[in-house]
Amino acid sequence: MMPSTMTAVQLCCCLCLVMVTTTFGRLHPRNLTDNRLIRRNLLGNGLGGTPQMGWSSWNHFACNIHESMIRETADAMVSTGLSSLGYEYINIDDCWAEQNRDSQGNMVAKGSTFPSGIKALADYVHGKGLKLGLYSDAGTQTCSKTMPGSLGHEYQDANTFASWGVDYLKYDNCNNENRSPRERYPTMSKALQNSGRAIFYSICEWGGDNPATWASPVGNSWRTTGDISDDWGSMTSRADMNDQWASYAGPGGWNDPDMLEVGNGGMSFGEYRSHFSIWALAKAPLIIGCDLRSMDQSAHDILSNSEVIAVNQDKLGVQGRKIKEYGDNLQVWAGPLSGNRKAVVLWNRGSSKADITAQWSDIGLDSSTVVDARDLWAHSTKGSVKGQISASVEPHDCSMFVLTPKK
């Protein structure tokens, strides 16, 4: 697509790449030309201007899902105030359909757990001001092997999903007959675009074929990692794997290191705060994975931090990244925001409390710049900060700041 025909979102993406290059100097040179070409060929469904926000059933419930729970989750998304902060998708993962298609070859909602059908559920979710997501697989069966995949049925299934009022498709990669994802995923992309409904397309290829390098014109987000689990090692490894692809993300198409585990109980408050902060800085999808109906106050406090969410949803759309490391455990992550601001996370991945410092030269600020430093977790501002930002950080925790240059 030539520049004269680029949409505003596409133009913004190309500008974002230039800003990343000039501001941090860390964009991989070998990828720059390819990245610009990729961003000019975004999936043209008008979705994904900022990373998606919502909830998914898999992390907490796996296959133990039913329509009453989905309705109650939609209710909870509203009653907890999370919907007013931008969380909008209620996504049903694997195990929602019958094992076999009907006589016309259509997918059918599982009668024992979704007796009202998906359309009625979509209507209920829409009535709450939310959107409904559904799951399928670019293979012959889904990963649970309890329902059919969409391989060979892409157009039929896309039309079915559209007729039900589905707003989001997570498309997995199991039982794929060893066929290339570059062959399978574009077919569903075209089917969704021809369905007559704007459906967010979340590619769940697990990062095996480096989808960041080819998925921008195909989907609105793409998994860069294998599945996350609710523990410190899994979370940190996914953050690191996702980081290498930072230059490929931007409005319309996002790197996805998998869903949030905040509130599921396997990590400490500080570890969950780090999880949420890094996902927000990295412009990762903020897809909640706990039981919204019974989450505790600490989980709610993390997930509802509007200042951290604002970093994730910043219109500039540049993925922050790891820019400095002291030893093996003390890290500075940072990225540019709109209005010439910087977002900074000082992350202590070690086992003892430590002081961490980000110098202005690390994060693309001139040495003479004076900033107001907003602490996003303490909700306090320190004025007229010069030269560096520092914090004493507890083990497995972080501090997060937005730095606004003073005029």
Side-chain angles (χ1 to χ4, degrees), residues 215-226:
S216 184
V218 179
N220 298 113
S221 66
W222 43 85
R223 281 277 295 279
T224 54
T225 72

Side-chain angles (χ1 to χ4, degrees), residues 184-343:
R184 291 176 288 111
Y185 281 90
T187 305
M188 179 56 84
S189 178
K190 294 173 184 175
L192 292 173
Q193 291 179 75
N194 289 332
S195 71
R197 185 175 181 83
I199 297 176
F200 190 104
Y201 188 29
S202 171
I203 293 174
C204 186
E205 183 267 354
W206 319 320
D209 197 42
N210 300 334
T213 64
W214 54 264
S216 184
V218 179
N220 298 113
S221 66
W222 43 85
R223 281 277 295 279
T224 54
T225 72
D227 287 358
I228 195 171
S229 57
D230 187 19
D231 62 81
W232 173 254
S234 176
M235 184 270 287
T236 55
S237 68
R238 271 117 194 98
D240 291 340
M241 286 186 280
N242 187 65
D243 184 52
Q244 67 183 305
W245 305 109
S247 60
Y248 291 89
W254 306 100
N255 292 318
D256 178 6
D258 206 7
M259 298 170 284
L260 295 165
E261 291 284 4
V262 177
N264 279 327
M267 287 185 267
S268 68
F269 179 83
E271 290 170 340
Y272 280 141
R273 177 158 57 185
S274 296
H275 182 14
F276 194 68
S277 298
I278 293 296
W279 261 236
L281 181 85
K283 303 300 186 291
L286 298 182
I287 302 296
I288 300 169
C290 69
D291 188 346
L292 293 183
R293 305 169 302 172
S294 60
M295 66 176 169
D296 61 22
Q297 187 61 47
S298 66
H300 184 269
D301 289 346
I302 292 172
L303 295 169
S304 64
N305 188 322
S306 60
E307 295 188 81
V308 177
I309 291 170
V311 170
N312 179 260
Q313 296 290 297
D314 184 72
K315 298 301 183 182
L316 186 61
V318 175
Q319 179 173 327
R321 63 184 310 167
K322 180 167 57 179
I323 62 168
K324 194 162 187 177
E325 190 165 16
Y326 302 91
D328 295 329
N329 297 313
L330 306 182
Q331 299 179 349
V332 177
W333 293 58
L337 301 174
S338 57
N340 296 316
R341 299 170 300 145
K342 309 292 182 185

Side-chain angles (χ1 to χ4, degrees), residues 5-16 39-40 42-50 220 250-254 315-317:
T5 61
M6 292 168 66
T7 67
V9 168
Q10 291 165 332
L11 179 59
C12 177
C13 293
C14 289
L15 291 174
C16 289
R39 298 243 63 82
R40 290 176 185 174
L42 288 164
L43 176 61
N45 61 6
L47 302 175
T50 58
N220 298 113
W254 306 100
K315 298 301 183 182
L316 186 61

Side-chain angles (χ1 to χ4, degrees), residues 101-264:
R101 295 172 178 271
D102 68 15
S103 59
Q104 284 77 46
N106 297 310
M107 279 193 181
V108 180
K110 195 171 182 179
S112 60
T113 50
F114 293 88
S116 301
I118 301 302
K119 186 180 186 307
L121 198 52
D123 290 344
Y124 184 86
V125 169
H126 294 158
K128 294 287 179 177
L130 302 170
K131 298 178 180 179
L132 186 77
L134 211 55
Y135 166 99
S136 189
D137 188 281
T140 56
Q141 290 181 303
T142 64
C143 294
S144 69
K145 296 186 177 181
T146 65
M147 56 176 278
S150 291
L151 187 63
H153 294 266
E154 291 89 351
Y155 284 85
Q156 183 173 17
D157 290 350
N159 289 336
T160 297
F161 301 153
S163 72
W164 288 343
V166 170
D167 304 291
Y168 185 113
L169 179 66
K170 175 184 173 182
Y171 204 45
D172 220 334
N173 193 33
C174 289
N175 306 299
N176 56 42
E177 298 184 334
N178 294 317
R179 291 165 58 180
S180 169
R182 301 192 193 204
E183 169 196 348
R184 291 176 288 111
Y185 281 90
T187 305
M188 179 56 84
S189 178
K190 294 173 184 175
L192 292 173
Q193 291 179 75
N194 289 332
S195 71
R197 185 175 181 83
I199 297 176
F200 190 104
Y201 188 29
S202 171
I203 293 174
C204 186
E205 183 267 354
W206 319 320
D209 197 42
N210 300 334
T213 64
W214 54 264
S216 184
V218 179
N220 298 113
S221 66
W222 43 85
R223 281 277 295 279
T224 54
T225 72
D227 287 358
I228 195 171
S229 57
D230 187 19
D231 62 81
W232 173 254
S234 176
M235 184 270 287
T236 55
S237 68
R238 271 117 194 98
D240 291 340
M241 286 186 280
N242 187 65
D243 184 52
Q244 67 183 305
W245 305 109
S247 60
Y248 291 89
W254 306 100
N255 292 318
D256 178 6
D258 206 7
M259 298 170 284
L260 295 165
E261 291 284 4
V262 177
N264 279 327

